[in-house]
Amino acid sequence: MISKEMRYIDIKPIRDYAKSINCPYIAIIGGKGTGKTYGCVDDAIVQFYDSDMRLPFFYIRRYDKTFTKSICGNLVNIHRQTIINKSKGKHNTAELNGRIFEVMHKSMSEKGADIKVNKKVIAYCRSLNNVESETGDDKGEISCGIYDEFLSRGGDLKDEFLKLQILHNNMIRNRTNKFVPLYLLGNTVSRDSSVAEQFGIKLRELKRGLNVYKNKKGVPRIVLYYTPETAANTEAAEMFYDRFENDHINMISHGDWVLGQYKIADQNMLYKHGFTYKLYNNNVAVNVTIFINGITPCIIVKRPSEHFDIAVSPMVSKHGLLVMPKQITNCVITGAMYAETSEIGEDFRDICKHITGGQQIVNYIG
């Protein structure tokens, strides 16, 4: 796992534990720089060379367009030393070619041309947005799948949870005699995730360390490791960021949940009277009160209560709205929104993602 002294995550004990309870779904959540992707890829490389079958892995992202050299071209090659050590010098580098990563031995001729020999596929790129079109493409046995950045402030794909099940099925091809883990790696950027919800994970209640989520029969659905800070996080925060004493910066540097930037309401605002909406989705709710500040319409986003005039949600209701009121949208995009706390402001943003007309608010907040 990870300790204060370690700079990156050791995947092996997490994988071994998940295997011991026969749970192939493994989520690892933490701040940027905790070595989630690094640890998973390094472990997959080690397994590749330790196995006589040289099993490649799947590297998975949400969209096809992100498989570029500028975004993930160096994914495998930064593990050159592991590649050299485990291959005993047969391979010394790795490259992204189209949608495959290859390991090889690369040298230079006397004329300065690259010489590439002993090329071997170590990873295939797979995108969730077109996973159904790739179901007939059997790549043979796969060691594991690594889904990068499954938590997104931009939102999930439609039926993303189902797409993950299809993808895992593509990996195992009904070869049930082998443990094939699927890693879901998430930065702490959003606690609104339909994928997490369908695994039974409540991100707002998540505790650091190892968590196991089971179904009603007691069968494990997913093993989740919420990382503590690494030594690298701590050093960077102490050296560069803690001096600013800024909550938003501290959340990024210390690996806590990243929150948007919100104007915080003063105590007088919290008691302003006006027309109040209750916005809710999936057990998350806020109250939004519209009031006049001088001659300017403003909104204050507060913790939920039963003192409201009308409800707004994506659920059909006799006494509620299904569409975001324009007054709320206008106040947000004109900078006339105040929140009781940053956490409540973030709950408001997450709810807006699911209400028709709320995407404009999400785009504005970021």
Side-chain angles (χ1 to χ4, degrees):
M1 296 190 191
I2 199 164
S3 70
K4 279 285 187 182
E5 291 72 35
M6 291 177 60
R7 302 192 68 84
Y8 299 102
I9 295 170
D10 181 5
I11 299 300
K12 188 176 184 302
I14 305 172
R15 170 171 50 81
D16 288 348
Y17 175 73
K19 184 176 181 180
S20 73
I21 60 173
N22 195 28
C23 182
Y25 298 100
I26 302 171
I28 303 175
I29 294 174
K32 292 183 179 180
T34 48
K36 301 180 294 297
T37 305
Y38 187 97
C40 285
V41 172
D42 203 71
D43 187 65
I45 292 170
V46 170
Q47 289 191 75
F48 176 81
Y49 286 108
D50 283 353
S51 166
D52 292 336
M53 297 179 68
R54 295 287 189 268
L55 297 183
F57 64 93
F58 276 2
Y59 178 65
I60 306 147
R61 297 182 71 93
R62 191 168 274 110
Y63 299 104
D64 245 354
K65 61 185 179 183
T66 56
F67 293 120
T68 65
K69 292 192 176 182
S70 62
I71 293 175
C72 60
N74 210 31
L75 177 83
V76 180
N77 194 43
I78 58 174
H79 302 268
R80 288 183 68 242
Q81 197 56 55
T82 300
I83 292 168
I84 292 168
N85 293 347
K86 298 302 293 187
S87 72
K88 297 181 171 55
K90 182 178 179 180
H91 301 137
N92 64 2
T93 193
E95 291 182 358
L96 172 64
N97 295 308
R99 291 187 55 184
I100 61 172
F101 287 94
E102 294 176 309
V103 288
M104 64 194 71
H105 191 281
K106 187 175 178 180
S107 59
M108 189 175 292
S109 70
E110 292 180 0
K111 296 182 179 180
D114 286 340
I115 301 173
K116 303 175 184 179
V117 297
N118 298 327
K119 292 198 288 185
K120 186 80 174 173
V121 175
I122 194 170
Y124 296 100
C125 298
R126 282 291 183 265
S127 56
L128 278 188
N129 69 311
N130 65 0
V131 67
E132 289 94 340
S133 66
E134 297 174 340
T135 54
D137 186 13
D138 188 353
K139 298 298 185 184
E141 290 198 55
I142 299 296
S143 67
C144 68
I146 302 172
Y147 180 22
D148 225 351
E149 301 182 6
F150 92 95
L151 296 181
S152 167
R153 286 183 71 79
D156 303 330
L157 296 171
K158 184 181 179 182
D159 297 327
E160 184 161 321
F161 179 76
L162 177 61
K163 292 177 189 294
L164 277 174
Q165 309 310 312
I166 294 171
L167 185 132
H168 189 258
N169 184 261
N170 290 350
M171 288 164 53
I172 63 172
R173 293 289 176 177
N174 299 321
R175 304 175 185 108
T176 56
N177 62 334
K178 190 174 187 306
F179 181 72
V180 183
L182 175 57
Y183 298 103
L184 280 63
L185 310 183
N187 292 330
T188 48
V189 295
S190 176
R191 287 172 291 190
D192 182 77
S193 167
S194 65
V195 174
E197 288 164 13
Q198 290 178 80
F199 274 111
I201 301 167
K202 298 184 184 300
L203 291 173
R204 285 174 171 79
E205 301 172 10
L206 191 60
K207 305 296 183 186
R208 289 190 186 270
L210 197 66
N211 304 264
V212 180
Y213 296 87
K214 301 178 181 180
N215 66 15
K216 293 178 180 178
K217 296 180 179 179
V219 178
R221 287 177 171 174
I222 191 166
V223 172
L224 187 153
Y225 185 58
Y226 180 18
T227 68
E229 285 186 69
T230 63
N233 274 130
T234 304
E235 287 175 18
E238 290 175 351
M239 187 175 294
F240 301 117
Y241 309 118
D242 287 352
R243 70 187 75 185
F244 297 109
E245 299 175 330
N246 178 290
D247 289 342
H248 187 74
I249 294 172
N250 288 344
M251 284 179 177
I252 297 170
S253 60
H254 288 283
D256 289 331
W257 293 97
V258 175
L259 303 180
Q261 296 278 24
Y262 302 95
K263 294 179 183 176
I264 303 302
D266 60 35
Q267 286 299 309
N268 290 332
M269 282 186 181
L270 294 177
Y271 298 102
K272 290 282 189 182
H273 294 290
F275 193 89
T276 299
Y277 296 93
K278 183 175 184 178
L279 275 61
Y280 65 91
N281 176 66
N282 195 30
N283 298 318
V284 181
V286 295
N287 277 16
V288 180
T289 297
I290 298 179
F291 66 96
I292 302 299
N293 187 15
I295 60 171
T296 304
C298 299
I299 58 171
I300 170 72
V301 182
K302 300 181 286 189
R303 65 187 73 249
S305 76
E306 293 311 307
H307 301 292
F308 64 91
D309 297 292
I310 194 166
V312 186
S313 84
M315 310 293 291
V316 175
S317 168
K318 251 193 266 185
H319 307 292
L321 302 176
L322 296 171
V323 178
M324 183 64 65
K326 289 184 179 179
Q327 302 98 312
I328 293 179
T329 303
N330 290 340
C331 286
V332 173
I333 64 179
T334 58
M337 168 193 166
Y338 298 85
E340 184 172 355
T341 68
S342 291
E343 292 269 357
I344 291 172
E346 195 72 357
D347 286 346
F348 168 71
R349 178 196 179 278
D350 288 344
I351 296 166
C352 290
K353 287 166 65 174
H354 301 276
I355 296 175
T356 300
Q359 191 60 44
Q360 189 175 1
I361 292 174
V362 175
N363 295 341
Y364 182 84
I365 293 173

